[in-house]
Amino acid sequence: QRGQEQDEAQYLVLTEEHFGSTVFCSSSRPSQAHWITPLAATMARRYAPNASVALMLAIFATASALLQLTAAFSPVTFSSRRKTTHVSAATDDEFMASLRTRVSQIEETKVPLVVLDSMVPRQVLRLQVNNPALMKLVRTQLKSENPHFGVMGKAKLSTGEQIFLKQGVEVLIRNPEFQGEGVKLELVAGRRFEVDDKTVEHTDGGWTEAKVKWLESAEQEEEEIQKAQTPQERMGVARAISKAEQFDAPSANLDGNLSLVDRWIELARENEREEGQIDELLECIGEMPPSDEPTERAFWVAALINPLPAMGVSLEIRPTLLTAKSAEARVDVALDGILRSIRHMDGTARLF
């Protein structure tokens, strides 16, 4: 991580003096959109974090589908229908080219960045902030109908030195309430990203912006397979899938032959700081992804054992998980984290 060191002045850094205690969010999430065509639905899922983009893409895709339907059912002769279909296809090609250009422009838009805390997808943070720059950022993003910004954390090296991470998550601003000189809001963690160091710049508003590379788990795993140089590397994702099965498989090494996740939940209920905390946590992060999505499963486990607010029953694994370079490495980090947490809570190997 030494190569990722950044000047602290480059980023808007929020520390404990800027916000109060954090509590769990309600479990409400945006409902999935169901539009006319499968293409539109696919685009909605892909660009769900940006509602305006999803809506635009849905309208474009639906219009394209209607044009094709009109061409297909228009009362023309066979010869003229072939011509009509040909024109429609050309028009559709132009539409897709235009759409790709527009999407590329959107993807290259700079993202506002805030150094707050390492978060992983599915986590939700509710906090009270009195930082003027963040308040202005929230107002700006809400006014532009793009209620998102990027959140990054810091990592501590073995030397004790703290560095900024290049990896973070996009958060949705939810339920903002401006109260005097502060703002109360919820931050819903969504897709992951990696900052392009060369594009970092300050804004007049007091925060930092940079272009980012969006990180999709399935694409990362596919790319990992394609770029593998040896048979051992090519089997990395397969090994990750096999290891990921351990999270919900019955284990003879645990009381009652419970799985790792079930045993952790059982012990965590006994260590709740507030009654119902684990139930709320599980409702908030949703169902565990399947084992054939090892990266997503690893991040789900991180959201489970490093909840917001912290329970103090596990080591912090989110920074390590965010910076891991392979699916197998991510699963290994999550497995080690949940095993150590279980041993800490059952008393066999205390962490602190």
Side-chain angles (χ1 to χ4, degrees):
Q1 294 298 325
R2 286 189 178 276
Q4 298 182 8
E5 293 185 26
Q6 300 288 337
D7 179 5
E8 184 164 348
Q10 284 186 320
Y11 295 106
L12 169 58
V13 182
L14 302 185
T15 58
E16 292 183 359
E17 67 186 56
H18 296 122
F19 56 91
S21 59
T22 59
V23 297
F24 255 120
C25 69
S26 62
S27 61
S28 60
R29 348 179 141 78
S31 60
Q32 292 184 340
H34 299 281
W35 284 313
I36 296 175
T37 68
L39 174 59
T42 299
M43 289 178 173
R45 289 192 296 271
R46 171 64 178 82
Y47 295 97
N50 192 323
S52 60
V53 174
L55 179 59
M56 178 190 74
L57 295 178
I59 293 172
F60 283 170
T62 303
S64 176
L66 292 176
L67 285 173
Q68 294 181 43
L69 287 173
T70 302
F73 291 100
S74 58
V76 295
T77 63
F78 177 75
S79 59
S80 63
R81 177 172 294 179
R82 285 195 305 173
K83 181 178 180 181
T84 301
T85 303
H86 175 72
V87 171
S88 177
T91 301
D92 192 56
D93 287 343
E94 294 175 1
F95 156 74
M96 291 305 296
S98 174
L99 181 59
R100 281 192 294 270
T101 299
R102 178 58 178 154
V103 169
S104 175
Q105 293 172 347
I106 293 171
E107 290 294 289
E108 292 179 357
T109 301
K110 289 191 173 182
V111 175
L113 301 173
V114 174
V115 176
L116 176 58
D117 189 15
S118 290
M119 295 179 67
V120 294
R122 301 177 181 85
Q123 289 194 304
V124 187
L125 178 67
R126 181 184 295 165
L127 68 162
Q128 173 77 34
V129 178
N130 298 316
N131 182 278
L134 180 57
M135 291 178 62
K136 186 174 182 179
L137 173 59
V138 170
R139 292 183 187 276
T140 300
Q141 295 305 100
L142 293 174
K143 186 177 180 180
S144 65
E145 298 183 354
N146 180 26
H148 301 84
F149 59 86
V151 167
M152 303 181 301
K154 292 188 288 187
K156 190 173 184 178
L157 302 178
S158 58
T159 60
E161 179 185 6
Q162 286 194 332
I163 60 171
F164 296 118
L165 298 181
K166 289 172 57 177
Q167 296 79 10
V169 293
E170 181 184 52
V171 296
L172 167 69
I173 302 167
R174 190 167 69 184
N175 302 329
E177 298 179 14
F178 292 91
Q179 304 171 337
E181 297 182 355
V183 57
K184 182 179 179 181
L185 48 77
E186 295 173 349
L187 301 179
V188 185
R191 53 183 176 168
R192 295 179 291 121
F193 64 77
E194 183 173 79
V195 174
D196 180 354
D197 290 338
K198 297 179 181 179
T199 65
V200 176
E201 65 179 14
H202 299 289
T203 68
D204 294 337
W207 57 86
T208 303
E209 291 184 345
K211 290 183 179 179
V212 301
K213 176 183 179 182
W214 299 109
L215 304 175
E216 298 289 344
S217 298
E219 292 179 4
Q220 285 184 296
E221 290 163 3
E222 181 64 27
E223 183 179 2
E224 183 180 336
I225 295 173
Q226 292 177 352
K227 291 185 176 181
Q229 300 294 319
T230 67
Q232 181 77 359
E233 291 177 349
R234 282 192 287 273
M235 292 299 294
V237 174
R239 288 194 301 271
I241 292 173
S242 178
K243 291 180 178 180
E245 294 174 353
Q246 297 179 44
F247 290 115
D248 59 353
S251 174
N253 297 322
L254 299 177
D255 289 350
N257 291 332
L258 294 175
S259 68
L260 291 173
V261 167
D262 287 340
R263 179 56 174 159
W264 189 92
I265 292 172
E266 180 181 71
L267 291 169
R269 291 188 193 281
E270 300 172 5
N271 290 270
E272 289 182 323
R273 292 187 171 181
E274 296 180 7
E275 184 177 355
Q277 182 179 7
I278 299 303
D279 289 337
E280 190 171 4
L281 167 62
L282 294 172
E283 190 174 2
C284 192
I285 64 178
E287 295 290 331
M288 179 167 60
S291 59
D292 61 0
E293 297 178 11
T295 293
E296 285 300 301
R297 180 168 277 209
F299 277 110
W300 184 91
V301 171
L304 176 72
I305 69 174
N306 287 158
L308 298 172
M311 289 181 61
V313 298
S314 173
L315 296 177
E316 175 62 81
I317 70 170
R318 291 173 296 177
T320 306
L321 194 58
L322 286 167
T323 57
K325 299 300 184 183
S326 69
E328 185 176 16
R330 296 179 196 108
V331 174
D332 284 343
V333 169
L335 276 172
D336 182 67
I338 195 170
L339 280 168
R340 289 192 178 199
S341 183
I342 288 172
R343 291 167 183 162
H344 170 76
M345 289 190 289
D346 70 12
T348 57
R350 290 287 183 181
L351 293 172
F352 20 75

